[in-house]
Amino acid sequence: MTVGEVREKVERHGARAVARDAVAAIAEKDAKVGAFLEVFDDVQAQADAVDRRLAAGERLPLAGVPIALKDNILVRGKRVSAASRMLEGYVAPYDAHVVRRLKEAGAVLIGRTNCDEFAMGSSTEYSAFGPTKNPHDPSRVPGGSSGGSAAAVAAGMVPLALGSDTGGSIRQPASFCGVVGLKPTYGAVSRYGLIAMGSSLDVIGPFAATVADVALLYRTIAGHDPCDSTSLPPEGHPSRAHHERTHPLRIGVPRDLLGEGMDSRVAQVFEEALAALARRGHEVVDIALPAARHALAVYYIIMPAEASTNLARYDGVRYGLHVEGADLWEDYLRTRQEGFGPEVKRRILLGTYVLSAGYYDAYYRKAQKVRRAIRREFAAAFATVDVIATPTAPTPPFRLGEKRDPLSMYLADVFTVPANIAGIPALSLPMGSVEEGGASLPLGMQCMAAHRNEEVLFHIGEELEAHHAASR
Ligand code: GLN
């Protein structure tokens, strides 16, 4: 389902009819998938308001287009929980910047999608409200943490969805579900109204079935916001940014990164996709990114450090859950004990450890140094290539319950984490599939580009799409 198709339907039948069909499609399909935590009760009223704006002659780029939001993005007056008991029943007091942009553009906010608790995880199994299933094979995970958003688009319930990406949470589920997902440049999209995980890494980004729709949604939500101190300055707004669509493209493949842990079928489909791009006239070259090998280790120091700090605010007094103890101290302890799930507690422990006196220099400060080296390494690489390509994930979607050991779950992000460490944009798009157990399991290719060069990603994405369309 594309935005163009939906907009045509809105023109013929009105936003009200489109919204009604979207809610019906979710009612029919989501029983098997479990992508949604809530379908909003005012969908029809939102659609009616869009119809009135259209009748008044307003031009709305997303008129009546249904969109799903990950359960860590605030919509004024709606519940938001980050899929955690800690925030069960919490109602958002204001709109996220991206939500304001969506409302202005005439989109219809359909509901909240499931995710790993506080966006920590790669399978959506760490949600306090039960897992989401992969629409291509319900015995498998949709990826995570934005698994609900990816699955909702993949199952054809909505044409658009938003997720957030701290270490891969948009790209890896996009890969597992066979849809397109973009992690924008850090700061290109405001974090105002996003429940914070790792504040120097977090970014909100789009999911859709096509590259063009991902680009459209990205342009709707990107731009400067004075409410986010790390928001990029106004000249970075996509409509004014200089658009670099060099053709043919020079595509760098970091062979040294791709060695360990990669499923051989993923490697084969990746090579085929590269060969297809080469046949379309693009140049594929090997590059080396020796520092990026350390990105996962750096990530698992910086992210828990920031997450443990961000999660300190959930004390049972100011937000959501409150568990009464004998005194204030015991209130804190019992609330945090009962409110947070095991993975969140693990990250708080890791983060508190690496920030503690005596370990700060050995871990946190050192990780920041390596982070700077990784940034420099990417900047240097983009002086010689337009795009860096890897598979999005080392494996096809895995089975529910398969990764019991936290470290094996962390390894699902080896290819996606470097872009967050460097702050650069990265796109995941379908590159093929593997057959297993009677199901066709999607695989994604990740393309990374230089700071703020989302345009080149849309270009290579459309090239790969054109190849798939031609070979169909
Ligand atoms: N899977 C990674 C983690 O668990 C990334 C999460 C994310 O990007 N929000 O930290």
Side-chain angles (χ1 to χ4, degrees):
M1 197 192 331
T2 67
V3 170
E5 287 160 17
V6 175
R7 293 221 38 194
E8 225 169 82
K9 226 171 119 186
V10 170
E11 260 161 50
R12 271 188 283 121
H13 307 289
R16 186 180 178 81
V18 168
R20 189 196 51 220
D21 291 353
V23 172
I26 294 168
E28 183 204 319
K29 294 176 179 165
D30 206 32
K32 272 201 242 121
V33 178
F36 282 88
L37 291 175
E38 177 185 1
V39 174
F40 295 142
D41 58 9
D42 64 348
V43 169
Q44 288 302 334
Q46 289 182 53
D48 289 344
V50 170
D51 281 331
R52 282 195 299 275
R53 286 168 72 188
L54 287 173
E58 268 191 75
R59 290 196 57 228
L60 305 170
L62 293 180
V65 178
I67 181 164
L69 304 175
K70 184 177 183 178
D71 186 33
N72 61 356
I73 298 173
L74 274 56
V75 181
R76 189 193 163 109
K78 305 277 186 221
R79 284 178 295 162
V80 62
S81 73
S84 179
R85 293 271 170 230
M86 186 58 99
L87 281 173
E88 214 178 339
Y90 176 71
V91 174
Y94 61 91
D95 278 335
H97 181 256
V98 294
V99 167
R100 226 158 51 214
R101 286 288 181 86
L102 291 173
K103 287 180 173 174
E104 281 160 17
V108 171
L109 314 176
I110 288 283
R112 293 187 284 142
T113 55
N114 199 17
C115 55
D116 289 295
E117 184 176 2
F118 282 104
M120 298 172 186
S122 309
S123 69
T124 315
E125 294 170 289
Y126 298 153
S127 166
F129 308 111
T132 298
K133 317 258 170 63
N134 192 312
H136 296 270
D137 176 350
S139 73
R140 292 175 191 272
V141 303
S145 63
S146 316
S149 287
V153 172
M157 294 187 245
V158 283
L160 297 176
L162 287 183
S164 65
D165 193 311
T166 305
S169 280
I170 292 174
R171 291 159 285 159
Q172 186 255 18
S175 173
F176 278 18
C177 290
V179 299
V180 185
L182 172 72
K183 176 209 115 53
T185 302
Y186 178 77
V189 178
S190 170
R191 290 182 293 114
Y192 182 68
L194 170 70
I195 294 177
M197 178 182 169
S199 300
S200 76
L201 304 156
D202 295 342
V203 62
I204 296 175
F207 288 99
T210 65
V211 173
D213 284 351
V214 156
L216 172 67
L217 181 52
Y218 168 68
R219 290 180 189 121
T220 307
I221 59 172
H224 181 67
D225 174 19
C227 293
D228 172 358
S229 64
T230 57
S231 170
L232 292 172
E235 58 271 23
H237 189 278
S239 62
R240 267 166 285 166
H242 90 130
H243 290 177
E244 217 180 305
R245 287 203 169 204
T246 26
H247 193 96
L249 295 163
R250 243 173 104 84
I251 303 163
V253 181
R255 298 274 168 207
D256 50 343
L257 271 187
L258 303 182
E260 290 150 60
M262 187 159 51
D263 187 293
S264 61
R265 297 165 301 172
V266 174
Q268 193 194 331
V269 172
F270 178 62
E271 294 305 332
E272 284 163 14
L274 289 176
L277 288 167
R279 283 198 301 278
R280 295 182 69 82
H282 303 292
E283 191 188 350
V284 180
V285 296
D286 287 357
I287 58 166
L289 294 173
R293 272 215 321 275
H294 305 295
L296 197 65
V298 166
Y299 175 78
Y300 274 96
I301 292 171
I302 292 176
M303 172 275 302
E306 294 180 1
S308 67
T309 311
N310 276 323
L311 295 179
R313 75 190 68 179
Y314 303 107
D315 56 6
V317 179
R318 285 172 291 179
Y319 306 91
L321 186 73
H322 171 81
V323 183
E324 193 77 28
D327 53 21
L328 183 64
W329 184 245
E330 214 183 290
D331 286 5
Y332 291 161
L333 292 181
R334 295 186 56 175
T335 301
R336 289 171 70 83
Q337 231 153 46
E338 287 178 34
F340 290 136
E343 182 59 28
V344 176
K345 287 178 182 158
R346 184 175 297 121
R347 308 268 177 129
I348 292 173
L349 287 171
L350 280 170
T352 308
Y353 179 79
V354 299
L355 289 176
S356 57
Y359 294 107
Y360 186 92
D361 285 334
Y363 294 111
Y364 188 71
R365 198 185 301 278
K366 197 161 179 189
Q368 293 289 17
K369 274 191 199 152
V370 180
R371 181 178 195 174
R372 283 192 291 277
I374 294 170
R375 277 174 189 271
R376 280 195 302 269
E377 182 173 278
F378 272 105
F382 287 119
T384 63
V385 296
D386 301 299
V387 166
I388 296 175
T390 68
T392 305
T395 67
F398 45 88
R399 289 189 191 282
L400 288 151
E402 185 179 321
K403 296 207 188 287
R404 299 205 177 279
D405 153 37
L407 190 61
S408 71
M409 189 72 88
Y410 297 171
L411 286 169
D413 304 314
V414 278
F415 298 149
T416 50
V417 154
N420 299 79
I421 295 297
I424 56 175
L427 182 76
S428 176
L429 63 151
M431 66 172 179
S433 57
V434 295
E435 304 299 317
E436 200 180 314
S440 176
L441 306 176
L443 302 176
M445 174 188 265
Q446 169 180 243
C447 296
M448 297 176 267
H451 205 63
R452 282 189 167 186
N453 202 353
E454 275 79 1
E455 278 306 314
V456 80
L457 296 180
F458 301 146
H459 180 43
I460 190 170
E462 282 168 355
E463 284 290 292
L464 199 57
E465 276 182 348
H467 159 71
H468 290 316
S471 54
R472 217 166 270 140

